[in-house]
Amino acid sequence: MTSAVRLIRSDSLAETPYAYAATAPAGSRLIFLAGACPLDDDGSTTAPGDYAAQATRCIETLQTALTASGASLTDVISTRVLVASTRQADLVTAWNVVEAAFGEHDVPSTLLGVTVLGYDEQLVEIEAVAAVHGEKG
C-alpha cells in the first residue's frame, strides 16, 4: 500500500534536505511516537559520547515503534531531532544519520540543540508523527 503522506515542496523557498510541509488525507490514522532514545535492550545508553551511533540507535528504536503501530519510515509525516550540544557540528552529525535513514522520504523536520536529555549520557532523541491509511484495531 502506498503511503498516506504527501510531501510538499516550494520553488519559492530555499532548497533544503527536507520537505517544507506534509499532508495526509482525511480519514488517515495519525500515530504520535514518543521520543526514540538511544537505549540498548538492557536500558543502558548506547555509545556514550558518539552522536552518530546514538542517532542510529534512535532510528532503530523509531522503526520498531513504527512497525508495532502498523507503519514504517515512509509513513512519517514530521520529525523533531533533539541533540544535546551547543556545537552545530554535533547537530549535523546526528542529522546526517537521520537524513540517510529517511532517504527520498525527506519529511519536514526540526533539528534542535538542547541542554540535556532524559537519560544518563544521552545525546540524541528523535520524535515523530506518522500517518497511515484507515483505521487499525
Side-chain angles (χ1 to χ4, degrees):
M1 179 178 273
T2 61
S3 177
V5 176
R6 187 175 135 246
L7 301 178
I8 311 293
R9 294 167 185 11
S10 173
D11 293 337
S12 300
L13 298 169
E15 186 175 329
T16 59
Y18 50 84
Y20 272 99
T23 64
S28 297
R29 180 172 54 93
L30 295 179
I31 303 165
F32 297 89
L33 295 115
C37 298
L39 300 178
D40 288 324
D41 293 341
D42 66 2
S44 64
T45 302
T46 299
D50 188 333
Y51 290 91
Q54 286 199 11
T56 298
R57 182 59 180 165
C58 289
I59 290 292
E60 292 167 354
T61 300
L62 181 64
Q63 288 175 309
T64 300
L66 285 163
T67 298
S69 302
S72 68
L73 285 179
T74 58
D75 297 311
V76 172
I77 196 165
S78 69
T79 67
R80 181 176 301 133
V81 181
L82 309 169
V83 182
S85 179
T86 59
R87 292 175 15 113
Q88 186 179 33
D90 296 334
L91 277 69
V92 170
T93 295
W95 174 254
N96 287 340
V97 171
V98 174
E99 183 180 24
F102 278 89
E104 290 186 17
H105 187 68
D106 54 350
V107 299
S109 297
T110 299
L111 176 63
L112 298 168
V114 299
T115 304
V116 66
L117 292 166
Y119 291 98
D120 291 340
E121 302 184 89
Q122 180 184 358
L123 300 172
V124 181
E125 187 164 334
I126 303 170
E127 298 176 10
V129 177
V132 294
H133 293 289
E135 297 294 319
K136 179 182 177 185

mmCIF file with all atom_site columns, all heavy atoms in Angstrom, residues 108-136:
data_model
loop_
_atom_site.group_PDB
_atom_site.id
_atom_site.type_symbol
_atom_site.label_atom_id
_atom_site.label_alt_id
_atom_site.label_comp_id
_atom_site.label_asym_id
_atom_site.label_entity_id
_atom_site.label_seq_id
_atom_site.pdbx_PDB_ins_code
_atom_site.Cartn_x
_atom_site.Cartn_y
_atom_site.Cartn_z
_atom_site.occupancy
_atom_site.B_iso_or_equiv
_atom_site.pdbx_formal_charge
_atom_site.auth_seq_id
_atom_site.auth_comp_id
_atom_site.auth_asym_id
_atom_site.auth_atom_id
_atom_site.pdbx_PDB_model_num
ATOM 1   N N   . PRO A 1 108 ? 9.310   16.894 6.610  1.00 0.00 ? 108 PRO A N   1
ATOM 2   C CA  . PRO A 1 108 ? 9.577   18.123 7.339  1.00 0.00 ? 108 PRO A CA  1
ATOM 3   C C   . PRO A 1 108 ? 10.164  17.779 8.715  1.00 0.00 ? 108 PRO A C   1
ATOM 4   O O   . PRO A 1 108 ? 9.650   16.896 9.405  1.00 0.00 ? 108 PRO A O   1
ATOM 5   C CB  . PRO A 1 108 ? 8.196   18.768 7.496  1.00 0.00 ? 108 PRO A CB  1
ATOM 6   C CG  . PRO A 1 108 ? 7.368   18.186 6.407  1.00 0.00 ? 108 PRO A CG  1
ATOM 7   C CD  . PRO A 1 108 ? 7.897   16.799 6.222  1.00 0.00 ? 108 PRO A CD  1
ATOM 8   N N   . SER A 1 109 ? 11.234  18.462 9.065  1.00 0.00 ? 109 SER A N   1
ATOM 9   C CA  . SER A 1 109 ? 11.942  18.140 10.298 1.00 0.00 ? 109 SER A CA  1
ATOM 10  C C   . SER A 1 109 ? 12.436  19.400 10.982 1.00 0.00 ? 109 SER A C   1
ATOM 11  O O   . SER A 1 109 ? 12.720  20.397 10.324 1.00 0.00 ? 109 SER A O   1
ATOM 12  C CB  . SER A 1 109 ? 13.146  17.242 9.998  1.00 0.00 ? 109 SER A CB  1
ATOM 13  O OG  . SER A 1 109 ? 12.733  16.016 9.459  1.00 0.00 ? 109 SER A OG  1
ATOM 14  N N   . THR A 1 110 ? 12.562  19.304 12.287 1.00 0.00 ? 110 THR A N   1
ATOM 15  C CA  . THR A 1 110 ? 13.183  20.358 13.075 1.00 0.00 ? 110 THR A CA  1
ATOM 16  C C   . THR A 1 110 ? 14.373  19.750 13.796 1.00 0.00 ? 110 THR A C   1
ATOM 17  O O   . THR A 1 110 ? 14.253  18.680 14.399 1.00 0.00 ? 110 THR A O   1
ATOM 18  C CB  . THR A 1 110 ? 12.184  20.935 14.100 1.00 0.00 ? 110 THR A CB  1
ATOM 19  O OG1 . THR A 1 110 ? 11.077  21.484 13.384 1.00 0.00 ? 110 THR A OG1 1
ATOM 20  C CG2 . THR A 1 110 ? 12.830  22.016 14.938 1.00 0.00 ? 110 THR A CG2 1
ATOM 21  N N   . LEU A 1 111 ? 15.510  20.420 13.712 1.00 0.00 ? 111 LEU A N   1
ATOM 22  C CA  . LEU A 1 111 ? 16.755  19.982 14.359 1.00 0.00 ? 111 LEU A CA  1
ATOM 23  C C   . LEU A 1 111 ? 17.062  20.988 15.452 1.00 0.00 ? 111 LEU A C   1
ATOM 24  O O   . LEU A 1 111 ? 17.210  22.185 15.173 1.00 0.00 ? 111 LEU A O   1
ATOM 25  C CB  . LEU A 1 111 ? 17.875  19.926 13.317 1.00 0.00 ? 111 LEU A CB  1
ATOM 26  C CG  . LEU A 1 111 ? 19.273  19.577 13.801 1.00 0.00 ? 111 LEU A CG  1
ATOM 27  C CD1 . LEU A 1 111 ? 19.310  18.171 14.400 1.00 0.00 ? 111 LEU A CD1 1
ATOM 28  C CD2 . LEU A 1 111 ? 20.268  19.685 12.644 1.00 0.00 ? 111 LEU A CD2 1
ATOM 29  N N   . LEU A 1 112 ? 17.163  20.507 16.696 1.00 0.00 ? 112 LEU A N   1
ATOM 30  C CA  . LEU A 1 112 ? 17.362  21.391 17.843 1.00 0.00 ? 112 LEU A CA  1
ATOM 31  C C   . LEU A 1 112 ? 18.558  20.990 18.680 1.00 0.00 ? 112 LEU A C   1
ATOM 32  O O   . LEU A 1 112 ? 18.729  19.799 18.983 1.00 0.00 ? 112 LEU A O   1
ATOM 33  C CB  . LEU A 1 112 ? 16.134  21.348 18.766 1.00 0.00 ? 112 LEU A CB  1
ATOM 34  C CG  . LEU A 1 112 ? 14.803  21.808 18.232 1.00 0.00 ? 112 LEU A CG  1
ATOM 35  C CD1 . LEU A 1 112 ? 13.692  21.406 19.181 1.00 0.00 ? 112 LEU A CD1 1
ATOM 36  C CD2 . LEU A 1 112 ? 14.819  23.299 18.044 1.00 0.00 ? 112 LEU A CD2 1
ATOM 37  N N   . GLY A 1 113 ? 19.333  21.962 19.097 1.00 0.00 ? 113 GLY A N   1
ATOM 38  C CA  . GLY A 1 113 ? 20.345  21.749 20.119 1.00 0.00 ? 113 GLY A CA  1
ATOM 39  C C   . GLY A 1 113 ? 19.701  22.027 21.466 1.00 0.00 ? 113 GLY A C   1
ATOM 40  O O   . GLY A 1 113 ? 19.047  23.056 21.640 1.00 0.00 ? 113 GLY A O   1
ATOM 41  N N   . VAL A 1 114 ? 19.842  21.106 22.391 1.00 0.00 ? 114 VAL A N   1
ATOM 42  C CA  . VAL A 1 114 ? 19.243  21.254 23.723 1.00 0.00 ? 114 VAL A CA  1
ATOM 43  C C   . VAL A 1 114 ? 20.328  21.102 24.788 1.00 0.00 ? 114 VAL A C   1
ATOM 44  O O   . VAL A 1 114 ? 21.424  20.605 24.514 1.00 0.00 ? 114 VAL A O   1
ATOM 45  C CB  . VAL A 1 114 ? 18.112  20.223 23.951 1.00 0.00 ? 114 VAL A CB  1
ATOM 46  C CG1 . VAL A 1 114 ? 16.987  20.414 22.936 1.00 0.00 ? 114 VAL A CG1 1
ATOM 47  C CG2 . VAL A 1 114 ? 18.639  18.795 23.893 1.00 0.00 ? 114 VAL A CG2 1
ATOM 48  N N   . THR A 1 115 ? 20.003  21.508 25.996 1.00 0.00 ? 115 THR A N   1
ATOM 49  C CA  . THR A 1 115 ? 20.975  21.468 27.085 1.00 0.00 ? 115 THR A CA  1
ATOM 50  C C   . THR A 1 115 ? 21.232  20.045 27.559 1.00 0.00 ? 115 THR A C   1
ATOM 51  O O   . THR A 1 115 ? 22.378  19.636 27.733 1.00 0.00 ? 115 THR A O   1
ATOM 52  C CB  . THR A 1 115 ? 20.473  22.318 28.268 1.00 0.00 ? 115 THR A CB  1
ATOM 53  O OG1 . THR A 1 115 ? 20.222  23.633 27.796 1.00 0.00 ? 115 THR A OG1 1
ATOM 54  C CG2 . THR A 1 115 ? 21.491  22.363 29.376 1.00 0.00 ? 115 THR A CG2 1
ATOM 55  N N   . VAL A 1 116 ? 20.164  19.303 27.786 1.00 0.00 ? 116 VAL A N   1
ATOM 56  C CA  . VAL A 1 116 ? 20.298  17.953 28.343 1.00 0.00 ? 116 VAL A CA  1
ATOM 57  C C   . VAL A 1 116 ? 19.084  17.130 27.937 1.00 0.00 ? 116 VAL A C   1
ATOM 58  O O   . VAL A 1 116 ? 18.005  17.669 27.695 1.00 0.00 ? 116 VAL A O   1
ATOM 59  C CB  . VAL A 1 116 ? 20.451  18.013 29.893 1.00 0.00 ? 116 VAL A CB  1
ATOM 60  C CG1 . VAL A 1 116 ? 19.182  18.529 30.549 1.00 0.00 ? 116 VAL A CG1 1
ATOM 61  C CG2 . VAL A 1 116 ? 20.890  16.684 30.478 1.00 0.00 ? 116 VAL A CG2 1
ATOM 62  N N   . LEU A 1 117 ? 19.262  15.820 27.844 1.00 0.00 ? 117 LEU A N   1
ATOM 63  C CA  . LEU A 1 117 ? 18.167  14.888 27.576 1.00 0.00 ? 117 LEU A CA  1
ATOM 64  C C   . LEU A 1 117 ? 17.985  13.974 28.785 1.00 0.00 ? 117 LEU A C   1
ATOM 65  O O   . LEU A 1 117 ? 18.794  14.003 29.722 1.00 0.00 ? 117 LEU A O   1
ATOM 66  C CB  . LEU A 1 117 ? 18.445  14.106 26.293 1.00 0.00 ? 117 LEU A CB  1
ATOM 67  C CG  . LEU A 1 117 ? 18.391  14.967 25.024 1.00 0.00 ? 117 LEU A CG  1
ATOM 68  C CD1 . LEU A 1 117 ? 18.990  14.242 23.833 1.00 0.00 ? 117 LEU A CD1 1
ATOM 69  C CD2 . LEU A 1 117 ? 16.962  15.398 24.724 1.00 0.00 ? 117 LEU A CD2 1
ATOM 70  N N   . GLY A 1 118 ? 16.960  13.150 28.776 1.00 0.00 ? 118 GLY A N   1
ATOM 71  C CA  . GLY A 1 118 ? 16.497  12.457 29.965 1.00 0.00 ? 118 GLY A CA  1
ATOM 72  C C   . GLY A 1 118 ? 17.324  11.331 30.544 1.00 0.00 ? 118 GLY A C   1
ATOM 73  O O   . GLY A 1 118 ? 17.214  11.042 31.729 1.00 0.00 ? 118 GLY A O   1
ATOM 74  N N   . TYR A 1 119 ? 18.128  10.647 29.737 1.00 0.00 ? 119 TYR A N   1
ATOM 75  C CA  . TYR A 1 119 ? 18.898  9.513  30.245 1.00 0.00 ? 119 TYR A CA  1
ATOM 76  C C   . TYR A 1 119 ? 20.360  9.890  30.416 1.00 0.00 ? 119 TYR A C   1
ATOM 77  O O   . TYR A 1 119 ? 20.879  10.760 29.705 1.00 0.00 ? 119 TYR A O   1
ATOM 78  C CB  . TYR A 1 119 ? 18.788  8.312  29.282 1.00 0.00 ? 119 TYR A CB  1
ATOM 79  C CG  . TYR A 1 119 ? 17.410  7.707  29.272 1.00 0.00 ? 119 TYR A CG  1
ATOM 80  C CD1 . TYR A 1 119 ? 16.493  8.036  28.281 1.00 0.00 ? 119 TYR A CD1 1
ATOM 81  C CD2 . TYR A 1 119 ? 17.019  6.816  30.261 1.00 0.00 ? 119 TYR A CD2 1
ATOM 82  C CE1 . TYR A 1 119 ? 15.225  7.487  28.270 1.00 0.00 ? 119 TYR A CE1 1
ATOM 83  C CE2 . TYR A 1 119 ? 15.745  6.260  30.260 1.00 0.00 ? 119 TYR A CE2 1
ATOM 84  C CZ  . TYR A 1 119 ? 14.858  6.602  29.272 1.00 0.00 ? 119 TYR A CZ  1
ATOM 85  O OH  . TYR A 1 119 ? 13.596  6.061  29.269 1.00 0.00 ? 119 TYR A OH  1
ATOM 86  N N   . ASP A 1 120 ? 21.038  9.234  31.359 1.00 0.00 ? 120 ASP A N   1
ATOM 87  C CA  . ASP A 1 120 ? 22.470  9.461  31.556 1.00 0.00 ? 120 ASP A CA  1
ATOM 88  C C   . ASP A 1 120 ? 23.210  9.253  30.239 1.00 0.00 ? 120 ASP A C   1
ATOM 89  O O   . ASP A 1 120 ? 22.969  8.257  29.546 1.00 0.00 ? 120 ASP A O   1
ATOM 90  C CB  . ASP A 1 120 ? 23.039  8.496  32.601 1.00 0.00 ? 120 ASP A CB  1
ATOM 91  C CG  . ASP A 1 120 ? 22.528  8.781  34.006 1.00 0.00 ? 120 ASP A CG  1
ATOM 92  O OD1 . ASP A 1 120 ? 22.061  9.917  34.255 1.00 0.00 ? 120 ASP A OD1 1
ATOM 93  O OD2 . ASP A 1 120 ? 22.596  7.867  34.852 1.00 0.00 ? 120 ASP A OD2 1
ATOM 94  N N   . GLU A 1 121 ? 24.052  10.182 29.883 1.00 0.00 ? 121 GLU A N   1
ATOM 95  C CA  . GLU A 1 121 ? 24.912  10.124 28.686 1.00 0.00 ? 121 GLU A CA  1
ATOM 96  C C   . GLU A 1 121 ? 24.141  10.126 27.363 1.00 0.00 ? 121 GLU A C   1
ATOM 97  O O   . GLU A 1 121 ? 24.700  9.829  26.318 1.00 0.00 ? 121 GLU A O   1
ATOM 98  C CB  . GLU A 1 121 ? 25.865  8.932  28.763 1.00 0.00 ? 121 GLU A CB  1
ATOM 99  C CG  . GLU A 1 121 ? 26.739  8.989  30.015 1.00 0.00 ? 121 GLU A CG  1
ATOM 100 C CD  . GLU A 1 121 ? 27.749  7.893  30.081 1.00 0.00 ? 121 GLU A CD  1
ATOM 101 O OE1 . GLU A 1 121 ? 28.854  8.112  29.557 1.00 0.00 ? 121 GLU A OE1 1
ATOM 102 O OE2 . GLU A 1 121 ? 27.439  6.819  30.641 1.00 0.00 ? 121 GLU A OE2 1
ATOM 103 N N   . GLN A 1 122 ? 22.849  10.481 27.393 1.00 0.00 ? 122 GLN A N   1
ATOM 104 C CA  . GLN A 1 122 ? 22.049  10.557 26.169 1.00 0.00 ? 122 GLN A CA  1
ATOM 105 C C   . GLN A 1 122 ? 22.371  11.846 25.425 1.00 0.00 ? 122 GLN A C   1
ATOM 106 O O   . GLN A 1 122 ? 22.364  12.926 25.999 1.00 0.00 ? 122 GLN A O   1
ATOM 107 C CB  . GLN A 1 122 ? 20.557  10.515 26.492 1.00 0.00 ? 122 GLN A CB  1
ATOM 108 C CG  . GLN A 1 122 ? 19.672  10.592 25.265 1.00 0.00 ? 122 GLN A CG  1
ATOM 109 C CD  . GLN A 1 122 ? 18.193  10.641 25.600 1.00 0.00 ? 122 GLN A CD  1
ATOM 110 O OE1 . GLN A 1 122 ? 17.788  10.590 26.766 1.00 0.00 ? 122 GLN A OE1 1
ATOM 111 N NE2 . GLN A 1 122 ? 17.375  10.742 24.577 1.00 0.00 ? 122 GLN A NE2 1
ATOM 112 N N   . LEU A 1 123 ? 22.617  11.706 24.110 1.00 0.00 ? 123 LEU A N   1
ATOM 113 C CA  . LEU A 1 123 ? 22.953  12.847 23.271 1.00 0.00 ? 123 LEU A CA  1
ATOM 114 C C   . LEU A 1 123 ? 21.903  13.139 22.199 1.00 0.00 ? 123 LEU A C   1
ATOM 115 O O   . LEU A 1 123 ? 21.870  14.243 21.668 1.00 0.00 ? 123 LEU A O   1
ATOM 116 C CB  . LEU A 1 123 ? 24.303  12.605 22.586 1.00 0.00 ? 123 LEU A CB  1
ATOM 117 C CG  . LEU A 1 123 ? 25.506  12.390 23.512 1.00 0.00 ? 123 LEU A CG  1
ATOM 118 C CD1 . LEU A 1 123 ? 26.715  11.979 22.691 1.00 0.00 ? 123 LEU A CD1 1
ATOM 119 C CD2 . LEU A 1 123 ? 25.777  13.627 24.330 1.00 0.00 ? 123 LEU A CD2 1
ATOM 120 N N   . VAL A 1 124 ? 21.089  12.146 21.832 1.00 0.00 ? 124 VAL A N   1
ATOM 121 C CA  . VAL A 1 124 ? 20.153  12.286 20.711 1.00 0.00 ? 124 VAL A CA  1
ATOM 122 C C   . VAL A 1 124 ? 18.795  11.690 21.088 1.00 0.00 ? 124 VAL A C   1
ATOM 123 O O   . VAL A 1 124 ? 18.724  10.674 21.794 1.00 0.00 ? 124 VAL A O   1
ATOM 124 C CB  . VAL A 1 124 ? 20.688  11.577 19.442 1.00 0.00 ? 124 VAL A CB  1
ATOM 125 C CG1 . VAL A 1 124 ? 19.726  11.731 18.265 1.00 0.00 ? 124 VAL A CG1 1
ATOM 126 C CG2 . VAL A 1 124 ? 22.079  12.085 19.070 1.00 0.00 ? 124 VAL A CG2 1
ATOM 127 N N   . GLU A 1 125 ? 17.730  12.321 20.587 1.00 0.00 ? 125 GLU A N   1
ATOM 128 C CA  . GLU A 1 125 ? 16.375  11.792 20.711 1.00 0.00 ? 125 GLU A CA  1
ATOM 129 C C   . GLU A 1 125 ? 15.604  12.228 19.463 1.00 0.00 ? 125 GLU A C   1
ATOM 130 O O   . GLU A 1 125 ? 15.801  13.344 18.983 1.00 0.00 ? 125 GLU A O   1
ATOM 131 C CB  . GLU A 1 125 ? 15.699  12.325 21.966 1.00 0.00 ? 125 GLU A CB  1
ATOM 132 C CG  . GLU A 1 125 ? 14.365  11.709 22.264 1.00 0.00 ? 125 GLU A CG  1
ATOM 133 C CD  . GLU A 1 125 ? 13.908  11.956 23.687 1.00 0.00 ? 125 GLU A CD  1
ATOM 134 O OE1 . GLU A 1 125 ? 14.751  12.162 24.585 1.00 0.00 ? 125 GLU A OE1 1
ATOM 135 O OE2 . GLU A 1 125 ? 12.678  11.943 23.898 1.00 0.00 ? 125 GLU A OE2 1
ATOM 136 N N   . ILE A 1 126 ? 14.756  11.361 18.946 1.00 0.00 ? 126 ILE A N   1
ATOM 137 C CA  . ILE A 1 126 ? 14.002  11.670 17.732 1.00 0.00 ? 126 ILE A CA  1
ATOM 138 C C   . ILE A 1 126 ? 12.513  11.443 17.977 1.00 0.00 ? 126 ILE A C   1
ATOM 139 O O   . ILE A 1 126 ? 12.086  10.333 18.275 1.00 0.00 ? 126 ILE A O   1
ATOM 140 C CB  . ILE A 1 126 ? 14.467  10.798 16.539 1.00 0.00 ? 126 ILE A CB  1
ATOM 141 C CG1 . ILE A 1 126 ? 15.964  10.978 16.296 1.00 0.00 ? 126 ILE A CG1 1
ATOM 142 C CG2 . ILE A 1 126 ? 13.658  11.143 15.282 1.00 0.00 ? 126 ILE A CG2 1
ATOM 143 C CD1 . ILE A 1 126 ? 16.548  9.995  15.301 1.00 0.00 ? 126 ILE A CD1 1
ATOM 144 N N   . GLU A 1 127 ? 11.732  12.526 17.856 1.00 0.00 ? 127 GLU A N   1
ATOM 145 C CA  . GLU A 1 127 ? 10.277  12.446 17.937 1.00 0.00 ? 127 GLU A CA  1
ATOM 146 C C   . GLU A 1 127 ? 9.723   12.360 16.517 1.00 0.00 ? 127 GLU A C   1
ATOM 147 O O   . GLU A 1 127 ? 10.319  12.899 15.592 1.00 0.00 ? 127 GLU A O   1
ATOM 148 C CB  . GLU A 1 127 ? 9.704   13.695 18.591 1.00 0.00 ? 127 GLU A CB  1
ATOM 149 C CG  . GLU A 1 127 ? 10.137  13.932 20.012 1.00 0.00 ? 127 GLU A CG  1
ATOM 150 C CD  . GLU A 1 127 ? 9.598   15.252 20.545 1.00 0.00 ? 127 GLU A CD  1
ATOM 151 O OE1 . GLU A 1 127 ? 8.750   15.883 19.876 1.00 0.00 ? 127 GLU A OE1 1
ATOM 152 O OE2 . GLU A 1 127 ? 10.036  15.652 21.625 1.00 0.00 ? 127 GLU A OE2 1
ATOM 153 N N   . ALA A 1 128 ? 8.574   11.721 16.370 1.00 0.00 ? 128 ALA A N   1
ATOM 154 C CA  . ALA A 1 128 ? 7.968   11.622 15.038 1.00 0.00 ? 128 ALA A CA  1
ATOM 155 C C   . ALA A 1 128 ? 6.454   11.510 15.137 1.00 0.00 ? 128 ALA A C   1
ATOM 156 O O   . ALA A 1 128 ? 5.914   11.060 16.141 1.00 0.00 ? 128 ALA A O   1
ATOM 157 C CB  . ALA A 1 128 ? 8.522   10.412 14.289 1.00 0.00 ? 128 ALA A CB  1
ATOM 158 N N   . VAL A 1 129 ? 5.814   11.935 14.065 1.00 0.00 ? 129 VAL A N   1
ATOM 159 C CA  . VAL A 1 129 ? 4.389   11.716 13.857 1.00 0.00 ? 129 VAL A CA  1
ATOM 160 C C   . VAL A 1 129 ? 4.275   11.005 12.505 1.00 0.00 ? 129 VAL A C   1
ATOM 161 O O   . VAL A 1 129 ? 4.957   11.379 11.539 1.00 0.00 ? 129 VAL A O   1
ATOM 162 C CB  . VAL A 1 129 ? 3.599   13.043 13.813 1.00 0.00 ? 129 VAL A CB  1
ATOM 163 C CG1 . VAL A 1 129 ? 2.125   12.782 13.511 1.00 0.00 ? 129 VAL A CG1 1
ATOM 164 C CG2 . VAL A 1 129 ? 3.756   13.798 15.126 1.00 0.00 ? 129 VAL A CG2 1
ATOM 165 N N   . ALA A 1 130 ? 3.428   9.970  12.442 1.00 0.00 ? 130 ALA A N   1
ATOM 166 C CA  . ALA A 1 130 ? 3.215   9.219  11.209 1.00 0.00 ? 130 ALA A CA  1
ATOM 167 C C   . ALA A 1 130 ? 1.725   9.234  10.865 1.00 0.00 ? 130 ALA A C   1
ATOM 168 O O   . ALA A 1 130 ? 0.877   9.516  11.708 1.00 0.00 ? 130 ALA A O   1
ATOM 169 C CB  . ALA A 1 130 ? 3.705   7.782  11.356 1.00 0.00 ? 130 ALA A CB  1
ATOM 170 N N   . ALA A 1 131 ? 1.431   8.952  9.607  1.00 0.00 ? 131 ALA A N   1
ATOM 171 C CA  . ALA A 1 131 ? 0.038   8.869  9.140  1.00 0.00 ? 131 ALA A CA  1
ATOM 172 C C   . ALA A 1 131 ? -0.087  7.661  8.221  1.00 0.00 ? 131 ALA A C   1
ATOM 173 O O   . ALA A 1 131 ? 0.748   7.450  7.348  1.00 0.00 ? 131 ALA A O   1
ATOM 174 C CB  . ALA A 1 131 ? -0.360  10.136 8.396  1.00 0.00 ? 131 ALA A CB  1
ATOM 175 N N   . VAL A 1 132 ? -1.125  6.852  8.469  1.00 0.00 ? 132 VAL A N   1
ATOM 176 C CA  . VAL A 1 132 ? -1.384  5.687  7.625  1.00 0.00 ? 132 VAL A CA  1
ATOM 177 C C   . VAL A 1 132 ? -2.849  5.706  7.185  1.00 0.00 ? 132 VAL A C   1
ATOM 178 O O   . VAL A 1 132 ? -3.689  6.357  7.802  1.00 0.00 ? 132 VAL A O   1
ATOM 179 C CB  . VAL A 1 132 ? -1.065  4.355  8.358  1.00 0.00 ? 132 VAL A CB  1
ATOM 180 C CG1 . VAL A 1 132 ? 0.426   4.234  8.640  1.00 0.00 ? 132 VAL A CG1 1
ATOM 181 C CG2 . VAL A 1 132 ? -1.852  4.231  9.656  1.00 0.00 ? 132 VAL A CG2 1
ATOM 182 N N   . HIS A 1 133 ? -3.127  4.995  6.114  1.00 0.00 ? 133 HIS A N   1
ATOM 183 C CA  . HIS A 1 133 ? -4.492  4.914  5.601  1.00 0.00 ? 133 HIS A CA  1
ATOM 184 C C   . HIS A 1 133 ? -5.379  4.172  6.584  1.00 0.00 ? 133 HIS A C   1
ATOM 185 O O   . HIS A 1 133 ? -4.998  3.137  7.114  1.00 0.00 ? 133 HIS A O   1
ATOM 186 C CB  . HIS A 1 133 ? -4.516  4.183  4.251  1.00 0.00 ? 133 HIS A CB  1
ATOM 187 C CG  . HIS A 1 133 ? -3.837  4.921  3.149  1.00 0.00 ? 133 HIS A CG  1
ATOM 188 N ND1 . HIS A 1 133 ? -4.351  6.052  2.581  1.00 0.00 ? 133 HIS A ND1 1
ATOM 189 C CD2 . HIS A 1 133 ? -2.666  4.688  2.515  1.00 0.00 ? 133 HIS A CD2 1
ATOM 190 C CE1 . HIS A 1 133 ? -3.555  6.500  1.643  1.00 0.00 ? 133 HIS A CE1 1
ATOM 191 N NE2 . HIS A 1 133 ? -2.503  5.685  1.577  1.00 0.00 ? 133 HIS A NE2 1
ATOM 192 N N   . GLY A 1 134 ? -6.588  4.694  6.800  1.00 0.00 ? 134 GLY A N   1
ATOM 193 C CA  . GLY A 1 134 ? -7.636  3.967  7.516  1.00 0.00 ? 134 GLY A CA  1
ATOM 194 C C   . GLY A 1 134 ? -7.392  3.736  8.989  1.00 0.00 ? 134 GLY A C   1
ATOM 195 O O   . GLY A 1 134 ? -6.471  4.266  9.583  1.00 0.00 ? 134 GLY A O   1
ATOM 196 N N   . GLU A 1 135 ? -8.237  2.908  9.530  1.00 0.00 ? 135 GLU A N   1
ATOM 197 C CA  . GLU A 1 135 ? -8.231  2.593  10.960 1.00 0.00 ? 135 GLU A CA  1
ATOM 198 C C   . GLU A 1 135 ? -7.556  1.260  11.230 1.00 0.00 ? 135 GLU A C   1
ATOM 199 O O   . GLU A 1 135 ? -7.528  0.394  10.394 1.00 0.00 ? 135 GLU A O   1
ATOM 200 C CB  . GLU A 1 135 ? -9.675  2.511  11.489 1.00 0.00 ? 135 GLU A CB  1
ATOM 201 C CG  . GLU A 1 135 ? -10.430 3.811  11.385 1.00 0.00 ? 135 GLU A CG  1
ATOM 202 C CD  . GLU A 1 135 ? -9.860  4.905  12.279 1.00 0.00 ? 135 GLU A CD  1
ATOM 203 O OE1 . GLU A 1 135 ? -9.485  4.619  13.417 1.00 0.00 ? 135 GLU A OE1 1
ATOM 204 O OE2 . GLU A 1 135 ? -9.792  6.045  11.820 1.00 0.00 ? 135 GLU A OE2 1
ATOM 205 N N   . LYS A 1 136 ? -7.021  1.115  12.439 1.00 0.00 ? 136 LYS A N   1
ATOM 206 C CA  . LYS A 1 136 ? -6.469  -0.159 12.884 1.00 0.00 ? 136 LYS A CA  1
ATOM 207 C C   . LYS A 1 136 ? -6.952  -0.406 14.305 1.00 0.00 ? 136 LYS A C   1
ATOM 208 O O   . LYS A 1 136 ? -6.791  0.452  15.164 1.00 0.00 ? 136 LYS A O   1
ATOM 209 C CB  . LYS A 1 136 ? -4.943  -0.144 12.860 1.00 0.00 ? 136 LYS A CB  1
ATOM 210 C CG  . LYS A 1 136 ? -4.348  -1.452 13.340 1.00 0.00 ? 136 LYS A CG  1
ATOM 211 C CD  . LYS A 1 136 ? -2.828  -1.406 13.362 1.00 0.00 ? 136 LYS A CD  1
ATOM 212 C CE  . LYS A 1 136 ? -2.293  -2.695 13.919 1.00 0.00 ? 136 LYS A CE  1
ATOM 213 N NZ  . LYS A 1 136 ? -0.857  -2.664 14.083 1.00 0.00 ? 136 LYS A NZ  1
#
